[in-house]
Amino acid sequence: MFEARLKEAAQQVEAHLIEVMAPLGDLPVVEAMRYASAGGKRLRAFLVMETARLHGVKPEHAIWAATAIEAIHAYSLVHDDLPCMDDDDLRRGLPTTHIKWDECTAVLAGDALQTLGFECVSRPDCHPNAEVRAALTVSLARAAGAQGMVLGQALDIAAETASTPLTLEEITALQAGKTGALIVWSATAGAVMAQADTAPLQRYATDLGLAFQIADDILDVEGDAATVGKAVGKDADAGKATFVSLLGLEGAKAQAARLVAQACEALSAYGDEADALRDAARFVVARDS
């Protein structure tokens, strides 16, 4: 059930991104936008679509929020890969955007994907209620900006030149922004669109986001570049503190498993209807890319 719904969400968002960007023409920056936003697991889009389904939100509305988060996520990856940031040559097994084109085009493509995300979530197509659209837009801005993802990225950059490695508590706070904030937004979007209580999904997504990052740290140690689709071993080479370096490999795996169990428990109010979300949590720590 989960794999089918994940694939379905990916296909729907892929098609919708193509449709939304069709009027933009074929300038290099637009081609770079299409390139950067193609492929991937689309986990965030799935979380939007699945939580919308749980709350009876129409798919034709939810697809706009799902497309918005994937555009924002794609922008973050383009900028994260730049030489001034993580300086990566590969993403999803392909040359990163600044390698495929150039740094200027990559920066502009990322900027345009970010604004496209906000356009998608604030359009009347996303929801007929302007207050709901405003809530989605404001919460997405907070999740993506200096209270969320950007804050986490800034803390990560600062940690690279800090005199002492980060503590476990500090890494947890960092990743709650860098990785977790967009995941939390995705998993609560359906409840926001239905004007329902977001608390259970907030708890679920907080644990899911942290488990996702721990799994990334484990892949950086155990994965291979061909499967993961990007360089591995960079954290250890740079001497960065990670969940693996602080907890050990087995300790990190055990912590990820605990977080998945907590995430699944947070969904108890939804009964069997939330099984696909539970499977998503298990998938996060079992994935190989």
Side-chain angles (χ1 to χ4, degrees):
M1 177 174 62
F2 161 68
E3 290 184 2
R5 288 184 182 172
L6 180 66
K7 183 177 181 180
E8 181 183 14
Q11 291 172 339
Q12 290 173 342
V13 168
E14 194 84 24
H16 202 245
L17 275 165
I18 291 170
E19 181 182 339
V20 167
M21 285 191 271
L24 302 181
D26 297 310
L27 287 172
V29 68
V30 178
E31 288 301 313
M33 291 170 66
R34 294 187 177 109
Y35 179 85
S37 60
K41 293 177 286 293
R42 306 292 193 193
L43 177 64
R44 292 158 188 80
F46 161 81
L47 292 172
V48 172
M49 299 297 287
E50 189 63 19
T51 59
R53 184 194 66 80
L54 268 183
H55 290 85
V57 175
K58 294 180 179 179
E60 58 266 33
H61 294 156
I63 189 64
W64 286 95
T67 301
I69 196 62
E70 288 296 333
I72 296 284
H73 179 54
Y75 126 73
S76 76
L77 298 182
V78 171
H79 283 196
D80 197 41
D81 290 335
L82 289 169
C84 63
M85 303 281 272
D86 281 358
D87 193 15
D88 279 315
D89 293 340
L90 282 178
R91 171 68 66 179
R92 295 169 178 163
L94 297 171
T96 47
T97 307
H98 70 275
I99 296 292
K100 179 79 172 176
W101 279 271
D102 53 66
E103 288 184 45
C104 291
T105 301
V107 169
L108 292 173
D111 291 344
L113 283 166
Q114 182 190 42
T115 56
L116 180 66
F118 284 107
E119 178 186 345
C120 287
V121 82
S122 60
R123 288 175 58 139
D125 311 74
C126 184
H127 200 282
N129 187 324
E131 290 184 3
V132 171
R133 298 197 304 273
L136 287 169
T137 305
V138 170
S139 59
L140 181 56
R142 289 173 179 158
Q147 298 177 65
M149 182 182 67
V150 168
L151 172 61
Q153 185 67 54
L155 292 173
D156 197 25
I157 292 170
E160 292 177 2
T161 56
S163 56
T164 57
L166 296 180
T167 65
L168 183 61
E169 182 178 349
E170 288 170 333
I171 290 179
T172 301
L174 183 161
Q175 298 299 351
K178 184 179 178 182
T179 302
L182 292 188
I183 288 177
V184 170
W185 186 90
S186 304
T188 55
V192 171
M193 295 180 84
Q195 296 180 286
D197 182 18
T198 62
L201 290 170
Q202 180 91 27
R203 292 193 297 272
Y204 163 80
T206 299
D207 289 332
L208 174 69
L210 192 53
F212 186 99
Q213 184 56 48
I214 294 174
D216 259 10
D217 288 354
I218 292 169
L219 282 173
D220 194 62
V221 175
E222 291 191 327
D224 68 273
T227 304
V228 175
K230 61 182 180 179
V232 296
K234 292 185 68 174
D235 291 342
D237 292 343
K240 286 179 64 174
T242 66
F243 288 106
V244 173
S245 70
L246 291 174
L247 297 173
L249 191 56
E250 294 309 312
K253 290 179 179 179
Q255 177 65 359
R258 282 192 291 271
L259 287 164
V260 167
Q262 289 174 192
C264 292
E265 179 59 30
L267 299 171
S268 59
Y270 299 105
D272 294 344
E273 282 295 301
D275 278 350
L277 290 174
R278 294 185 182 92
D279 288 342
R282 299 182 187 105
F283 162 79
V284 156
V285 296
R287 63 197 167 92
D288 58 6
S289 64

